[in-house]
Every structure is written in structure tokens, then in C-alpha cells.
Amino acid sequence: MPTGFGIVGTGMIADFHAKAIGDIRGAKLVGCFNRTMSKAETFAAEHGCQAYDTLEAMLDNPEIDIVTICTPSGAHLEPAVAAAKAGKHLLIEKPLEITLKRCDRIIDACEKAGVYLGTIFPSRFSPANIALKEAVDAGRFGKLTVGDTYVKWWRSQEYYDSGGWRGTWALDGGGAYMNQAIHNVDLLYWLMGDVEEVSAITGTLAHERIEVEDTGTAVVRFANGAIGTLQATTSAWPGLLKKTEIHGTEGSAIVEQDHILMWEFAKKNRKDAGIKKKFSKESATTGGAADPKAISYTGHMLQFKDFINAINNGTEPLVDGREGRKSVELILAIYQSSWTGKRVSLPLKRDPRRPA
């Protein structure tokens, strides 16, 4: 029997989920649910699955093994908990949820139900980023000293005006950090290790009618002693490719989108020339730098395959729920620092309180 998928929420990102599922041998999109039935029916007709008018009806289908959550960020909790109680494994679009308390409720529900939980972070499945991770783990950088990531994107005012939930604390959970740069926030701590301390400034500089930040810079100290920066913005026209830089006492590497700009180590490796040649070509897409639809679904497909293999083999997926929680915690610490003007230590003891 194929691995059956059900999708909750049928907005833009759900199309990427459907295409990813369609490219996996042995996987099948069985059904979809949207609170507006006409939207579910339109999505189902396009992707060849069944539309459901209630979440409960979709969860009752025994052909569905995995549910992916594609609702606005602050609306992940309720369908996720319902799916877990129904015995369905869960793949949830980033962020896992918008508060630590809500993340923990999802994690607890999945652990109690004995189902797998994964958080969508396709950047971890980029071959260039995997090569970078392998170099870090092999100790090729020597002592890690600096880790930086930059997401300098552009979003028009029309983008924020296109949905009532966009740019709100209640459903977006934040702005350039929580919605856009969270991919590279996850990537940086995956490469550099956990963060101990953060100091940040954020602002809303280029957009109207939004509650959240469109620009921010954070300085972090990692548990290993290294320092770094996380820059996030949707106010940089025309939108630049995202970039990650890793430096140490014996090496430096820079990855822009999915290609390598620098790959230099004091101790040479016979594979280095091949890596530089393989990843020297520019990315075929802009990675959503100016258009959120201009991304590839390949990373989603690779993550879905990893998740299916984990279920089938009884192993851990590359990005489980607790890994997904870490990026939310770091971003909340960035917000707390920007609100208070003080350094913030991690782990957080509780969700920060947003000023009135």
C-alpha cells in the first residue's frame, strides 16, 4: 500500500507539498481539507485527491498515514493535536508554532499518541548545505569562530495586504524572522550548534499596516564560544539570495542559496576541487528572494522521503519536532531582546511577553 498523505490548508505552500508528494515513488496524496469547501475542491481537482468539508472526516480515512499542516503559522496547534490523536504522523510547515507553549503542546500530543513529528526545513536537504554540515562535523574549520546568515529579501506591500493573517502577531507570529529567515535560523544553529545568548534590534521600516518587523539584526553567542549575526529583512529591494558564512581557525566557507562562493581549508582534501566545481553554478531559482512562489519543491520532496524512511525504519527524521522548536525559541529570544533592549540568555524559561 502506498504511504497516504492528507493536507490541512490549501494555500500557496500546499501546492509545493502536493508536488513533492507526487514525485515520491510509493507516496500518494489522498485528501485535503480547508475550512472553505470551495477552496478544498479547487485544490483537490488540481492535484487529484479528495476534498473534505471537515477535518474529522479526513482524519477518519484509514488510507491517510501522514498529515501535513499548511495553515497560517498561528493555526497549527489545533489540527496538529487532532491529527496526532487520530494516530496520524505529522509534518508541519515552519514554524512548528508561534509560541513555545504551543510547540510543546504539539510535541506532547505526538509523543502521547506514539506518532512521528517533523518540522519542514528544506534548506537542510540542499546538497551544498549538507556538504557544509559534513565539513563542520569533520572538524575541518578547526575551532569555529564566526557563523553568519543573511536573508535580505523583498516583499511588496501587496504581499502583506493579500491575506488578513499576514504581518499579524496572532497568525504570522512575527515578521522577517519568523516567516522568512526562520529557514536560515534553523540552518545556522544546525551548523554552529546551540545559541547561549542573543542581542537584537528590529524595526518596521518599509511596510504599512503590519504589526511585525520587516527588518532586524541579531548578534548571537554560540555554546561553543563562537559569535555570529542573523540578519533578516523583507525590505531590501529587489531581494538578494540568502547567504550563510562559516569561519574558523582552519577554514572558511560561504554558501549563497544552493551554490558555494568560498570553500577554503588549511588542510586540503581530495574532494575539495570536486565540491567547488559541483556547487559553483548559480542557483536556478531566486529562492523566494522577491517572490514567495519562486522556490523549488525539491527540498520538500527530499524531506518527505526522509520522514517516510524514518517511519518505515523506526529511526529519527532529520528535523523532528524538538529540532523545529529550537528555531522558534531563538526567534522569540531575538524579539525579547529587541523589545527590552537587553541581552537574552537561552534556553528561555517561558514565552516572552510582547509590549502592549
Side-chain angles (χ1 to χ4, degrees), residues 9 18 24 31 57 66 72 84 114 126 151 233 243 261 290 304:
I24 300 173
I66 299 171
S126 158
V151 180
T233 183
K243 185 185 296 184
L261 300 183
F304 285 17

Side-chain angles (χ1 to χ4, degrees), residues 88-106:
K88 310 297 183 183
H89 304 293
L90 275 159
L91 273 169
I92 301 179
E93 260 299 335
K94 58 77 189 168
L96 179 61
E97 247 288 353
I98 62 172
T99 70
L100 298 180
K101 186 175 181 180
R102 293 172 74 85
C103 287
D104 290 340
R105 287 182 61 187
I106 293 174

